[in-house]
Amino acid sequence: MFNRNKLLLSTFAISMCATTLAHADGLADLKTALTRLQGQTPLKAVVEAKTWNRQGEGKDQEETHGLASVSVEESPRGLHVLYSKDMLAKLEVEERQREKDKKAKTPTLSALNEVNSSALRPMISAAGSLSRSLEKANFKSEKLDVFNGKPARLLNFEMSMDKLSERERKYLKKFDGQIDVWIAADGTPFASRLTQAVSGRAYVVISFEMKNEEEWIYGTVGDRLVALKKESKNSGAGMGEKSEGKVTKTLQIQAL
């Protein structure tokens, strides 16, 4: 009886190990989820963008703020981006102000590029955007973690200069990049964070350095992965100038 129980326990342990290992490959689970979540479920949402930029130092320092929002709808007919009458009116006023005074504050114009169709694609089709980022990185590690109080797996990737284009590598002397992705048990992304720090020299005498960080919060609409929030921070220095900026975009799902 003892040997039989021991055999049963060993079989159970092996089975449990096999089950654990089957679910321990977070990279495979993530890739499967990203493929599954590149769907075409109809979507309607409001996207708001807030921008902040600071250029220069001291008395020459310039600071700008931006705020813009659009309604977005994607269906089998295509992508529609709707600018409200209120926003169009603000654009008209700011354009007139800029014609009179180049230093006039134009918050809507400043944020306009963040809500055009190309900038919105990564928000409403986030699986493809995340997949392309991971193609430029090498998987390094996986560990158990928690995200917003939920059990999660944290996958870490290291970005390699070798995977940058020849044009991107041309002037770089130092490059450090990391991507962290928090995923659920089935591989669905909860969030991701990308950090990059680069330095280099252009035209022999011009040295520069830049830092960039992106944080994404994801959600799903049917078989579609969307970015509910994206926050980007950047800073840089070169040619005696310093700059820094921040862009925060949020996506609110609307009923169809």
Side-chain angles (χ1 to χ4, degrees):
M1 179 64 73
F2 175 78
N3 289 336
R4 183 172 181 273
N5 287 339
K6 186 176 181 180
L7 178 61
L8 287 172
L9 286 172
S10 297
T11 303
F12 177 76
I14 292 172
S15 177
M16 288 297 291
C17 287
T19 301
T20 301
L21 288 173
H23 293 280
D25 191 349
L27 179 59
D29 292 341
L30 173 59
K31 288 182 176 180
T32 299
L34 291 178
T35 299
R36 183 181 74 247
L37 294 169
Q38 295 195 39
Q40 301 297 317
T41 299
L43 170 73
K44 184 177 181 181
V46 172
V47 178
E48 181 183 81
K50 295 180 180 180
T51 66
W52 169 79
N53 287 280
R54 183 162 59 198
Q55 187 86 24
E57 294 181 288
K59 64 179 182 179
D60 296 324
Q61 186 180 94
E62 294 184 5
E63 191 170 308
T64 59
H65 296 264
L67 176 63
S69 65
V70 294
S71 295
V72 182
E73 185 172 347
E74 187 169 49
S75 68
R77 294 179 300 169
L79 173 65
H80 299 272
V81 181
L82 179 64
Y83 298 85
S84 69
K85 288 185 177 181
D86 180 57
M87 182 173 166
L88 292 174
K90 289 179 179 179
L91 287 171
E92 177 69 20
V93 171
E94 290 179 10
E95 285 172 347
R96 290 181 181 275
Q97 289 176 335
R98 177 164 287 183
E99 288 177 0
K100 296 178 180 179
D101 180 5
K102 296 299 183 182
K103 294 184 178 181
K105 294 183 179 181
T106 54
T108 309
L109 280 170
S110 298
L112 192 61
N113 286 337
E114 297 298 334
V115 291
N116 62 31
S117 57
S118 60
L120 292 172
R121 289 301 302 170
M123 299 288 290
I124 63 176
S125 298
S129 176
L130 181 54
S131 294
R132 288 189 293 274
S133 294
L134 296 179
E135 288 174 359
K136 298 179 180 181
N138 299 312
F139 176 70
K140 300 298 291 185
S141 65
E142 172 184 350
K143 68 177 183 179
L144 296 178
D145 204 356
V146 175
F147 181 79
N148 280 350
K150 300 178 181 178
R153 288 178 286 171
L154 173 57
L155 309 184
N156 174 258
F157 300 80
E158 183 177 63
M159 302 182 73
S160 171
M161 188 183 292
D162 294 338
K163 293 193 175 184
L164 299 177
S165 68
E166 184 176 349
R167 182 179 180 182
E168 291 172 318
R169 296 196 307 266
K170 186 175 181 180
Y171 302 112
L172 296 184
K173 299 298 182 183
K174 184 178 179 181
F175 175 85
D176 180 45
Q178 302 283 329
I179 302 177
D180 292 319
V181 186
W182 287 262
I183 64 173
D186 66 350
T188 300
F190 285 135
S192 67
R193 179 177 61 212
L194 178 151
T195 58
Q196 289 179 310
V198 302
S199 61
R201 186 178 295 275
Y203 306 110
V204 183
V205 296
I206 303 174
S207 61
F208 62 89
E209 58 181 38
M210 295 180 292
K211 292 182 180 179
N212 179 54
E213 181 176 318
E214 294 181 0
E215 294 184 352
W216 301 70
I217 306 295
Y218 301 107
T220 56
V221 178
D223 60 355
R224 177 197 293 263
L225 186 72
V226 298
L228 300 176
K229 182 178 181 180
K230 176 191 176 184
E231 185 169 274
S232 305
K233 299 177 183 177
N234 63 79
S235 62
M239 297 181 66
E241 292 284 341
K242 289 185 178 181
S243 65
E244 56 183 319
K246 178 180 177 181
V247 178
T248 302
K249 290 194 279 191
T250 57
L251 181 146
Q252 296 182 333
I253 305 298
Q254 306 289 302
L256 290 168

